[in-house]
Amino acid sequence: MRLDAAEIKLIRLPLKFSFETSFGVQTERHIIVLTLYSGGLEGYGEGVMEHLPLYREETIAGAWELLEQVFLPRVIGKEIANPEALVAELAPFRGNKMAKAVAEMAFWDLYAKSLGQPLWKLLGGVREQVAVGVSLGIQKSLEATVAAVEKHLSQGYRRIKLKIKPGWDYDVLKAVREAFPQATLTADANSAYQLSDVGTFRKIDALGLDYIEQPLGFDDLLDHAKLQREVSTALCLDESITSPEDTRKALEIGAGRVINLKPARVGGLLSTRRIHDVARSFGAPLWMGGMLEAGIGRAHNIHAATLEGFTKPGDTSSASRYWQEDIIEEGLEARDGFMPVPAGAGIGVTPKKDYLAKLSLREAYVSEK
Ligand code: OSB
Ligand code: MG
């Protein structure tokens, strides 16, 4: 299909809660929203990068520059047959997976719409709803944490993930475990620890967590392998996984046993499917991560989570947890711990154009020269 034009917007969307992790506190998102135009069709993509490179290296400034000046001009005006062809166009450029993913995922939406198919079917998904849990930020107190866990368990969420950081780890996990002996609990450190903190993880090991997410360096597989040999709880990799190749290496050396897969972190949905296949070949379960996405990115993630290997509950919880008003018409709401996959062609959601215009801080339009 021929790509006629592209529009990028940077929007600001306030969160309903302040989300604290080991790397900072978020009270709002700044989101790059891409629309690709082809014939009468529109495909949508959403960026997960932020102003500061606190999670991984990419930034809004860098992604904006690449999308507006390099990636989009390279594909607009061209005949792009399928997602493989789009990925090939961007392949000469190293890294910048999040920026590439914005374009790749918008293209998938467009491509699925051109075929009149829902995205999940085109990807080869096997289910029409996906199991979900919640990711709870660092709270003000142990009591507040236990109350937040209670609230989300009672809403039916199938797993509770608690953010941890040095000084806020074993005690909070222990308090929650004691209050909820049967709950599926996990912890996410967002790379806040070093191998020398092994003592903390030996203590946490006794709490029966389903996994411990990304305890060590964002780009460090070797020390994760060393830590995994010291604890019986599975380690789950998030930040460290950006490609099928590093997934193979991570699983080969035993750097973890579970994969948090975020399409936006790995360059998009083709890469997601390849990583999924690598993880399955090692027998490693996957789950769908999240980056506090608004409706477009959340919809993409829900579609991708229908692939067979996503056997653990993901982070794509109800949009109404995050936003007073989402950027799409449809409500993405979980019921009893399951998120239905949006129906209709492509990602199956409709951006609110007037609302996006109101939220917009910056815009660019790329058309054929
Ligand atoms: O590490 O999974 C993470 C949010 C922003 C950046 C990194 C992470 C997260 C979350 C939130 O855990 C998941 C969500 O609710 O979207
Ligand atoms: Mg994580």
Side-chain angles (χ1 to χ4, degrees):
M1 53 196 315
R2 187 179 179 282
L3 293 182
D4 301 326
E7 182 214 60
I8 36 178
K9 273 193 164 67
L10 178 64
I11 62 159
R12 193 189 77 89
L13 197 60
L15 280 161
K16 276 167 86 172
F17 50 86
S18 101
F19 189 68
E20 180 172 351
T21 65
S22 64
F23 61 78
V25 182
Q26 278 180 277
T27 56
E28 58 184 20
R29 288 285 327 281
H30 288 91
I31 304 173
I32 293 179
V33 177
L34 169 67
T35 308
L36 289 178
Y37 298 91
S38 174
L41 298 175
E42 298 184 2
Y44 309 111
E46 193 183 302
V48 300
M49 64 298 284
E50 274 291 345
H51 285 301
L52 300 179
L54 295 172
Y55 166 78
R56 279 207 61 112
E57 306 94 324
E58 290 182 75
T59 60
I60 287 172
W64 188 277
E65 171 80 8
L66 283 172
L67 284 164
E68 184 189 7
Q69 303 295 336
V70 185
F71 296 171
L72 295 171
R74 199 176 169 98
V75 295
I76 297 303
K78 273 194 193 152
E79 193 65 41
I80 306 284
N82 48 39
E84 285 80 356
L86 184 95
V87 168
E89 289 286 347
L90 305 183
F93 307 109
R94 298 204 173 147
N96 293 285
K97 304 282 173 84
M98 291 176 179
K100 289 177 181 173
V102 178
E104 200 257 19
M105 292 165 81
F107 185 84
W108 270 102
D109 183 28
L110 196 56
Y111 181 62
K113 284 169 177 162
S114 78
L115 299 172
Q117 283 208 53
L119 179 59
W120 71 273
K121 281 209 173 149
L122 205 54
L123 290 170
V126 297
R127 50 183 86 90
E128 292 183 48
Q129 55 174 13
V130 302
V132 289
V134 284
S135 171
L136 299 180
I138 292 166
Q139 311 285 314
K140 294 223 155 23
S141 63
L142 293 185
E143 297 69 36
T145 309
V146 170
V149 173
E150 153 103 83
K151 173 177 148 189
H152 289 92
L153 285 174
S154 75
Q155 291 172 359
Y157 285 108
R158 304 205 158 244
R159 172 272 277 148
I160 306 288
K161 156 168 140 184
L162 298 164
K163 293 288 184 179
I164 58 169
K165 64 177 181 182
W168 184 263
D169 42 41
Y170 176 72
D171 291 344
V172 67
L173 294 170
K174 180 164 168 283
V176 171
R177 172 51 81 213
E178 281 171 0
F180 308 100
Q182 304 300 326
T184 302
L185 301 178
T186 72
D188 187 0
N190 288 109
S191 297
Y193 295 84
Q194 299 177 324
L195 196 51
S196 54
D197 296 311
V198 61
T200 301
F201 295 102
R202 288 211 182 94
K203 283 168 69 186
I204 292 174
D205 209 16
L207 297 175
L209 302 188
D210 196 34
Y211 51 78
I212 301 166
E213 187 175 338
Q214 196 71 35
L216 308 180
F218 76 92
D219 57 355
D220 188 341
L221 294 178
L222 192 60
D223 278 359
H224 277 102
K226 289 185 180 170
L227 180 60
Q228 182 66 93
R229 289 199 286 273
E230 299 295 322
V231 294
S232 58
T233 307
L235 299 185
C236 168
L237 297 170
D238 173 353
E239 282 89 332
S240 290
I241 298 296
T242 65
S243 69
E245 295 72 31
D246 54 33
T247 307
R248 174 184 59 78
K249 289 169 193 168
L251 294 171
E252 213 168 280
I253 67 170
R257 300 202 293 261
V258 176
I259 302 293
N260 168 346
L261 189 38
K262 298 175 179 172
R265 190 193 62 228
V266 304
L269 296 167
L270 268 184
S271 170
T272 292
R273 206 158 57 182
R274 292 193 187 117
I275 291 172
H276 164 272
D277 294 348
V278 171
R280 290 195 85 202
S281 75
F282 281 88
L286 299 124
W287 56 276
M288 179 54 59
M291 296 284 288
L292 312 175
E293 283 90 348
I296 294 170
R298 190 169 304 274
H300 275 284
N301 288 349
I302 295 166
H303 281 270
T306 66
L307 292 175
E308 198 163 6
F310 286 86
T311 53
K312 289 183 178 292
D315 273 348
T316 49
S317 54
S318 295
S320 61
R321 287 188 60 233
Y322 303 81
W323 321 113
Q324 216 70 55
E325 184 181 353
D326 199 353
I327 62 172
I328 56 169
E329 302 287 351
E330 298 76 7
L332 298 177
E333 297 300 301
R335 267 183 302 276
D336 197 29
F338 286 95
M339 176 67 83
V341 181
I347 55 174
V349 301
T350 322
K352 294 178 176 168
K353 300 239 158 125
D354 293 347
Y355 184 46
L356 283 170
K358 229 172 67 186
L359 300 172
S360 177
L361 303 172
R362 186 179 178 188
E363 297 174 21
Y365 195 77
V366 180
S367 54
E368 202 178 347
K369 279 179 280 302

